[in-house]
């Protein structure tokens, strides 16, 4: 089979959307995240989604999972608390809170939840018992931090709370009262916590201050000015020594000496960009590692297991792994890596993102650009990546065989506007040059230097290319030509060496979004906002084919298939279409995306391709045309065999088996003819359908079979021609199946209700015929005719 027409898909969907923090079990195995009003629970070990919990229609405001991973508290803007049993996969309790809850915590024994409301009240929930143990009032405004100390019913059982006005309260849960009110902060207190002994308390606020207090008076013993807005603070024990940490607006976690306030260790300093990211939460794991929850819905695991001589300071905390809750708008993507088994993403983020489709939650970030990425391209061997950004720069990344990772190689700087399109030379594995297009309306050719870590500021040539934005550039397989597509409705073909235009492709009525060379013949394809795809000849630059079928702008088009040229297209209508170039027909349309599809890439000549949309959903597709053909052949063969068996049953008057097989085939007329034939050949029997054995078979039908049968009765009953047999069969079914049984079958009552109106119409028609026959008899008698005459 030359044409590839059917593909099976594997979806990689966003699982974290919204400003609410995520929550992780103490083992680091289970992660619960909000996705607007719904909740996703993910196994971080297997990269599989464990549960999808449907919301109540309102956005999630807080999530909290118990350390043992068995229970999840879900709170939404509707003020509903739902307690979800992770093992059973069900909501076990619903409770109406007095106000929306934006902060939650849980004790170390997985016994108690605490919820802080926007009305200043604190609700403590017994997890096992399923009831409220405490309702604490004292804060006059929204709570924004909570932490337990001690265990249920112990003498040292405390809670500390902080609000958005800077007030901190310490509560004795045994005595059920506030023992201390602290007013040392003048802004929201986002970080609170006790040390393991309960002797020290820490508070950190958005006023950039961390304060450490000592029990039982809870007077400040140390105050530290931290040069960032603090979103989380707490104590941590490393190598048997106690320290404190802070995290917040700098997007960096820092570990400090508890007495001197000396900075001892920190997570890697983020590259300075236009993107304003911050750490919104810090989650401790059983291993003493930390999970950082970042404001762009990514999570970063910090490995704290290998620290030595921490007190010397200056230590950079290694990152264990990154997890991407969503990728935002994916503007472009490519298969990358030595085996092209990874996917590189250009998203609305300054960092190049790379994911492994086999472990889609985990993320590699490559920093360097200062603004969002617009475009990405890759070399033939997958070992070189070029990215173009809104920061006017182009960066080249190379695969490091030793590190088994990509490293930065070259910075190209020279465009006066955002770099909107990039393409690497194709004929050799080691790329020799780059062609770039920019919002400054020029295209540039750049020579790639052999030395790494260099900056190139001078291009080989610069050409004014178009009158509007350049949206796509592609280099021909032999590196002799390159093509550009612009929003000025034109595509142009250029000589790579001279940088001169050799052809202009005119014909689209709106701007062009993409352009692509066919590797195996002299064709080039374009996709436009006018909803059409055009294929052009490189011999005379005329349009040879126009494909129509999308209902909105076409964002990406790609040629594939060496044996018989095909085109894949994606559009703003969220559709993926597979086209046969020769016939110009759509072979298949896929609608698994819900938003504009900005990007597509192909590998193995179309055996596999990947698409991504404006919601950050990624779908990988694999050709299974041969499998589908074989399956269809098997199905057709099996169907023919079944039909022959059905004919044999009818010939042998085996009405029960004939009926069951016709029901399985789900073909209305075959089943109708079985019943009709049974009646016609057994007119002398008392059974309304000609066979008491068939009646017994009908009495033993399961729920699914009964639903199918009632649908057939409904369909026949519409037509007066089939009315009699449908009524006979209906009578048998109702006689042989108690009404109580039928009422319990899901969806059956609705089908029966649709039968009744036609029954009434048919019986009314019969009454009219009977009445008319009486009138005819009366008329005949009145004319003096007799039956004998």
């Amino acid at each position: 089979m030359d044409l590839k027409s059917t593909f099976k898909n594997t979806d990689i969907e966003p699982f974290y959307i919204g400003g609410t923090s995520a929550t992780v079990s103490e083992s680091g195995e289970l992660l619960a995240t909000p996705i607007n009003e719904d909740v996703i629970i993910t196994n971080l070990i297997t990269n599989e989604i464990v549960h999808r919990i449907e919301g109540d229609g309102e956005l999630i405001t807080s999530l909290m999972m118990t350390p043992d991973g068995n229970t999840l508290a879900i709170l939404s803007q509707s003020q509903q608390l739902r307690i979800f049993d992770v093992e059973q996969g069900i909501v076990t309790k619903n409770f109406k809170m007095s106000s929306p809850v934006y902060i939650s915590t849980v004790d170390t024994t997985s016994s108690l939840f605490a919820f802080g409301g926007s009305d200043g009240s604190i609700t403590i929930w017994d997890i096992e018992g399923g009831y409220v143990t405490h309702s604490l009032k004292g804060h006059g405004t929204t709570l924004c931090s909570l932490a337990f100390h001690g265990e249920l019913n112990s003498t040292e059982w405390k809670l500390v709370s902080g609000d958005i006005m800077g007030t901190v309260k310490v509560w004795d849960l045994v005595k059920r009262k506030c023992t201390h009110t602290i007013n040392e902060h003048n802004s929201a207190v986002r970080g609170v916590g006790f040390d393991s002994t309960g002797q020290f308390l820490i508070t950190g606020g958005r006023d950039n201050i961390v304060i450490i207090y000592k029990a039982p008076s809870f007077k400040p013993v140390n105050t530290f000015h931290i040069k960032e807005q603090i979103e989380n603070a707490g104590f941590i024990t490393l190598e048997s020594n106690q320290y404190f940490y802070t995290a917040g607006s700098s997007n960096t976690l820092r570990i400090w000496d508890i007495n001197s306030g000396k900075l001892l260790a920190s997570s890697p300093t983020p590259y300075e960009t236009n993107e304003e990211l911050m750490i919104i939460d810090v989650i401790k794991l059983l291993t003493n590692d930390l999970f950082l929850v970042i404001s762009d819905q990514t999570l970063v695991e910090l490995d704290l297991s290998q620290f030595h001589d921490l007190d010397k300071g200056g230590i950079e905390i290694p990152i264990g792994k990154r997890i991407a809750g969503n990728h935002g708008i994916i503007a472009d993507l490519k298969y990358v890596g030595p085996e092209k088994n990874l996917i590189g993403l250009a998203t609305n983020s300054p960092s190049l993102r790379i994911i492994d489709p086999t472990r889609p939650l985990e993320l590699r970030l490559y920093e360097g650009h200062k603004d969002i990425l617009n475009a990405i391209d890759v070399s033939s061997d997958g070992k070189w990546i070029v990215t173009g950004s809104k920061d006017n720069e182009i960066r080249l990344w190379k695969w490091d065989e030793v590190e088994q990772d990509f490293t930065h190689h070259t910075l190209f700087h020279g465009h006066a506007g955002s770099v909107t399109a990039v393409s690497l030379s194709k004929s050799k594995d080691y790329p020799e040059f780059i062609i770039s297009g920019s919002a400054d309306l020029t295209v540039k050719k750049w020579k790639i230097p052999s030395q790494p870590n260099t900056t190139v500021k001078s291009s080989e040539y610069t050409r004014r290319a178009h009158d509007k934005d350049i949206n796509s550039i592609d280099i021909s397989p032999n590196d002799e030509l390159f093509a550009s597509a612009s929003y000025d409705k034109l595509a142009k073909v250029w000589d790579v060496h001279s940088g001169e235009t050799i052809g202009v492709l005119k014909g689209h009525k709106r701007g062009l979004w993409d352009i692509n060379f066919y590797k195996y013949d002299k064709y080039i394809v374009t996709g436009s906002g006018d909803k059409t795809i055009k294929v052009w000849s490189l011999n005379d630059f005329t349009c040879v084919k126009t494909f129509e079928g999308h209902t909105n702008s076409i964002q990406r088009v790609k040629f594939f298939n060496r044996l018989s040229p095909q085109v894949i297209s994606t559009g703003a209508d969220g559709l993926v279409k597979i086209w046969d170039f020769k016939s110009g027909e759509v072979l298949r349309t896929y609608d698994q995306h819900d938003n504009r599809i900005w990007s597509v890439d192909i590998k193995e000549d179309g055996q596999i391709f990947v698409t991504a949309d404006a919601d950050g959903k990624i779908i990988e597709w694999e050709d299974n045309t041969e499998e589908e053909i074989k399956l269809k052949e098997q199905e057709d063969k099996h169907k023919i065999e079944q039909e022959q068996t059905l004919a044999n049953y009818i010939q042998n008057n085996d009405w029960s088996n004939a009926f069951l097989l016709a029901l399985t085939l789900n073909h209305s007329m075959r089943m109708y003819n079985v019943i009709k034939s049974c009646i016609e050949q057994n007119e002398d029997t008392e059974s309304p359908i000609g066979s008491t054995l068939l009646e017994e078979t009908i009495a033993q039908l399961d729920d699914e079979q009964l639903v199918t049968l009632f649908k057939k009765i409904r369909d026949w009953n519409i037509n007066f021609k089939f009315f009699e047999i449908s009524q006979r069969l209906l009578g048998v079914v109702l006689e042989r199946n108690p009404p109580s049984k039928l009422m319990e079958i899901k969806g059956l009552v609705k089908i029966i209700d649709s039968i009744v109106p036609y029954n009434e119409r048919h019986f009314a028609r019969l009454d009219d015929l009977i009445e008319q026959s009486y009138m005819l008899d009366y008329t005949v008698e009145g004319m003096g005719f007799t039956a004998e005459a």
Side-chain angles (χ1 to χ4, degrees):
M1 181 68 182
D2 291 343
L3 290 173
K4 298 176 173 65
S5 58
T6 60
F7 295 81
K8 57 185 178 182
N9 61 290
T10 303
D11 297 358
I12 303 173
E13 297 189 64
F15 64 91
Y16 185 6
I17 299 175
T20 303
S21 177
T23 180
V24 183
S25 63
E26 196 174 41
S27 66
E29 180 178 353
L30 296 179
L31 167 70
T33 50
I35 182 160
N36 297 320
E37 67 268 20
D38 300 330
V39 177
I40 303 291
I41 298 180
T42 308
N43 187 311
L44 296 179
I45 308 300
T46 63
N47 269 234
E48 295 176 335
I49 292 176
V50 180
H51 296 295
R52 296 176 183 268
I53 308 167
E54 187 175 344
D56 58 10
E58 298 285 345
L59 293 177
I60 300 296
T61 56
S62 185
L63 291 174
M64 185 53 58
M65 184 179 288
T66 53
D68 60 17
N70 292 335
T71 309
L72 177 68
I74 306 170
L75 299 112
S76 72
Q77 195 66 47
S78 66
Q79 301 176 212
Q80 282 290 331
L81 163 66
R82 289 181 293 160
I83 303 297
F84 183 82
D85 187 302
V86 177
E87 186 174 348
Q88 297 184 59
I90 59 173
V91 173
T92 58
K93 198 77 173 180
N94 285 276
F95 184 78
K96 182 80 170 181
M97 306 298 289
S98 60
S99 66
V101 171
Y102 297 101
I103 190 70
S104 305
T105 192
V106 64
D107 76 333
T108 57
T109 65
S110 301
S111 301
L112 300 167
F113 285 125
F115 308 113
S118 58
D119 61 358
S121 65
I122 301 169
T123 302
I124 299 179
W125 182 270
D126 184 290
I127 296 171
E128 184 178 355
Y131 57 85
V132 174
T133 64
H134 297 70
S135 185
L136 309 174
K137 301 183 185 297
H139 287 279
T141 186
T142 303
L143 275 298
C144 58
S145 55
L146 291 168
F148 277 109
H149 172 68
E151 299 180 6
L152 178 65
N153 298 325
S154 68
T155 56
E156 288 294 319
W157 187 26
K158 295 183 176 67
L159 180 78
V160 59
S161 57
D163 65 32
I164 61 172
M165 299 303 293
T167 300
V168 176
K169 289 183 177 289
V170 179
W171 306 83
D172 186 320
L173 298 180
V174 177
K175 297 179 180 178
R176 297 175 177 269
K177 68 176 184 178
C178 174
T179 59
H180 297 84
T181 298
I182 303 169
N183 292 296
E184 299 292 334
H185 291 276
N186 57 29
S187 186
V189 179
R190 290 285 291 127
V192 295
F194 294 98
D195 75 335
S196 58
T197 66
Q199 294 300 304
F200 291 94
L201 169 69
I202 187 172
T203 61
R206 288 179 176 169
D207 55 6
N208 301 3
I209 293 175
V210 168
I211 303 173
I212 296 177
Y213 314 81
K214 188 173 183 180
S217 65
F218 291 104
K219 297 293 184 182
V221 293
N222 281 312
T223 299
F224 303 109
H225 291 269
I226 309 296
K227 295 180 180 179
E228 69 170 321
Q229 175 181 305
I230 296 169
E231 294 296 317
N232 198 281
F235 292 106
I236 188 167
T237 301
L238 299 170
E239 295 183 318
S240 302
N241 295 317
Q242 186 163 256
Y243 307 93
F244 75 91
Y245 66 84
T246 60
S249 58
S250 69
N251 199 23
T252 305
L253 181 124
R254 297 169 179 166
I255 297 177
W256 310 80
D257 183 274
I258 200 168
N259 297 311
S260 66
K262 177 184 175 182
L263 178 61
L264 303 176
S266 63
S267 59
T269 303
Y271 192 82
E272 187 174 343
T273 68
N274 294 338
E275 188 178 32
E276 295 183 2
L277 297 178
M278 63 191 304
I279 298 171
I280 62 173
D281 201 3
V282 179
I283 304 170
K284 292 183 182 180
L285 302 183
L286 189 63
T287 57
N288 220 18
D289 289 351
L290 300 176
F291 253 119
L292 309 182
V293 184
I294 315 299
S295 54
D296 65 349
Q297 291 85 47
T298 58
L299 293 96
V300 178
E301 184 180 16
L302 298 182
D303 183 1
L304 301 179
S305 61
Q306 303 297 323
F307 279 118
H308 300 287
D309 300 324
L310 182 62
D311 292 338
K312 290 182 179 179
I315 294 176
E316 184 175 280
I317 307 170
I319 290 176
K321 62 182 174 183
R322 296 180 188 268
I323 296 168
N326 70 80
H327 297 291
I329 297 172
I330 300 175
D332 203 0
L333 57 70
K334 288 289 184 293
Y335 281 107
V336 301
E339 306 297 328
K340 285 202 171 181
N341 56 351
L342 307 174
I343 301 175
L345 307 175
T347 70
N348 55 339
S349 162
S351 301
L352 167 64
R353 295 183 172 210
I354 294 180
I355 63 170
D356 181 345
T358 63
R359 298 191 64 78
L361 305 185
E362 297 176 17
L363 171 72
R364 303 184 195 180
L365 278 185
Y366 302 86
E367 296 179 317
H369 286 290
K370 301 179 183 66
D371 213 331
I372 65 174
L373 300 188
N374 292 320
I376 181 174
D377 197 23
V378 65
S379 60
S380 302
D381 64 356
K383 295 182 179 181
W384 296 81
I385 301 173
V386 63
T387 52
S389 168
K390 195 176 178 182
D391 63 7
N392 303 355
E393 294 179 345
I394 302 159
R395 289 183 180 269
L396 185 65
W397 315 80
K398 182 185 178 183
W399 181 260
D400 188 309
E401 297 290 352
V402 177
E403 298 292 333
Q404 289 292 290
D405 203 356
F406 284 97
T407 58
H408 187 265
H409 187 274
T410 310
L411 166 64
F412 300 89
H413 184 81
H415 278 293
S418 174
V419 180
T420 54
V422 289
S423 186
L424 282 168
S425 59
K426 301 288 193 298
S427 63
K428 299 177 182 178
D429 286 343
Y430 183 100
E432 297 179 340
F433 63 90
I434 297 168
I435 302 292
S436 61
S438 168
D440 63 13
L441 308 183
T442 67
V443 293
K444 290 178 180 285
K445 179 184 178 185
W446 308 84
K447 183 178 180 180
I448 296 175
S450 58
Q451 293 298 318
N453 300 317
T454 55
T455 299
V456 177
K457 295 185 178 181
S458 178
S459 60
E460 290 194 6
Y461 58 72
T462 300
R463 299 288 184 266
R464 167 78 184 219
H466 291 275
D467 295 328
K468 291 186 178 180
D469 286 355
I470 300 166
N471 293 322
S472 178
I473 286 178
D474 192 30
I475 297 174
S476 64
N478 62 2
D479 288 344
E480 294 297 320
L481 306 174
F482 75 89
S484 60
S486 168
Y487 211 63
D488 64 5
K489 306 178 188 177
L490 298 177
K492 294 184 179 182
V493 181
W494 309 72
D495 181 276
V496 163
H497 305 290
S498 67
E500 299 301 322
T501 305
I502 63 171
V504 179
L505 312 180
K506 296 181 180 179
H508 282 294
K509 297 178 181 178
R510 291 194 177 180
L512 278 66
W513 285 106
D514 201 17
I515 193 162
N516 182 241
F517 285 97
Y518 182 44
K519 290 183 179 180
Y520 311 109
D521 207 343
K522 292 185 176 182
Y523 293 116
I524 195 167
V525 63
T526 55
S528 167
D530 64 10
K531 308 175 190 176
T532 68
I533 300 162
K534 290 183 180 291
V535 180
W536 313 79
S537 168
L538 290 175
N539 292 319
D540 56 9
F541 306 109
T542 58
C543 178
V544 296
K545 294 275 186 179
T546 298
F547 303 154
E548 298 183 50
H550 281 279
T551 60
N552 208 327
S553 174
I554 293 163
Q555 304 300 141
R556 289 287 183 267
V557 286
K558 293 286 182 289
F559 263 120
F560 69 99
N561 197 343
R562 181 173 189 165
L563 299 176
S564 182
Q566 292 181 250
V567 172
I568 179 173
S569 63
T570 65
D573 52 11
L575 300 178
V576 178
K577 289 182 179 288
I578 310 295
W579 305 81
D580 176 10
F581 168 69
K582 292 180 180 178
S583 68
E585 295 181 354
V586 177
L587 298 176
R588 192 61 61 97
T589 297
Y590 296 100
D591 63 353
Q592 277 84 341
H593 285 281
D594 298 323
N595 207 333
R596 182 187 298 262
I597 305 172
W598 279 110
S599 49
V600 63
D601 193 32
I602 294 170
K603 70 176 181 178
E604 298 176 17
D605 196 26
Q607 186 70 24
I608 297 174
F609 70 92
V610 61
T611 55
D613 62 30
D615 291 331
K617 181 178 180 178
I618 301 170
I619 301 180
E620 193 168 35
W621 311 79
E622 184 176 357
D623 176 42
N624 66 337
T625 305
E626 292 187 7
E627 296 173 24
E628 287 290 319
I629 291 172
K630 290 178 181 178
L631 182 62
K632 182 69 166 55
E633 290 174 349
Q634 291 175 354
E635 289 176 349
D636 290 345
K637 180 181 177 182
H638 183 59
K639 188 174 181 180
I640 292 171
E641 291 173 350
Q642 286 184 315
E643 289 177 350
Q644 182 60 52
T645 302
L646 177 62
N648 294 338
Y649 284 148
I650 294 173
Q651 185 176 359
N652 297 329
N653 295 332
D654 188 348
W655 304 113
S656 293
N657 282 323
F659 173 81
L660 288 174
L661 183 54
L663 189 66
T664 302
L665 290 171
N666 198 16
H667 193 287
S668 292
M669 289 313 299
R670 286 187 178 87
M671 193 186 307
Y672 178 85
N673 289 329
V674 168
I675 303 297
K676 184 180 178 183
S677 298
C678 183
I679 293 171
E680 290 174 348
Q681 294 187 31
N682 300 279
E683 291 181 354
D684 298 334
T685 64
E686 295 181 358
S687 171
I689 58 173
S691 169
T692 54
L693 184 59
L694 179 54
E695 290 186 30
E696 293 295 331
T697 300
I698 292 174
Q700 296 173 15
L701 295 179
D702 61 28
D703 291 356
E704 185 177 348
Q705 290 172 319
L706 281 171
V707 169
T708 301
L709 179 57
F710 266 95
K711 286 179 180 178
K712 302 306 175 191
I713 292 172
R714 176 197 62 193
D715 295 343
W716 300 334
N717 200 52
I718 293 173
N719 193 326
F720 192 70
K721 179 181 177 182
F722 306 125
F723 167 68
E724 179 187 352
I725 288 179
S726 72
Q727 289 301 307
R728 289 191 183 202
L729 187 56
L730 181 62
V732 170
V733 175
L734 294 176
E735 181 181 351
R736 294 283 183 163
N737 293 274
S740 58
K741 174 187 175 182
L742 298 177
M743 294 290 287
E744 293 176 357
I745 299 175
K746 186 178 180 180
L748 193 57
V749 173
K750 188 175 180 180
I751 298 172
I752 294 173
D753 287 343
S754 67
I755 294 174
V756 172
Y758 286 95
N759 272 11
E760 293 174 347
R761 186 182 303 175
H762 294 320
F763 285 124
R765 185 182 290 114
L766 289 174
D767 288 342
D768 289 343
L769 288 173
I770 293 172
E771 185 176 339
Q772 290 172 17
S773 70
Y774 288 154
M775 290 297 296
L776 181 62
D777 289 345
Y778 177 77
T779 302
V780 170
E781 288 179 7
M783 294 174 65
F785 290 101
T786 64
E788 290 78 4

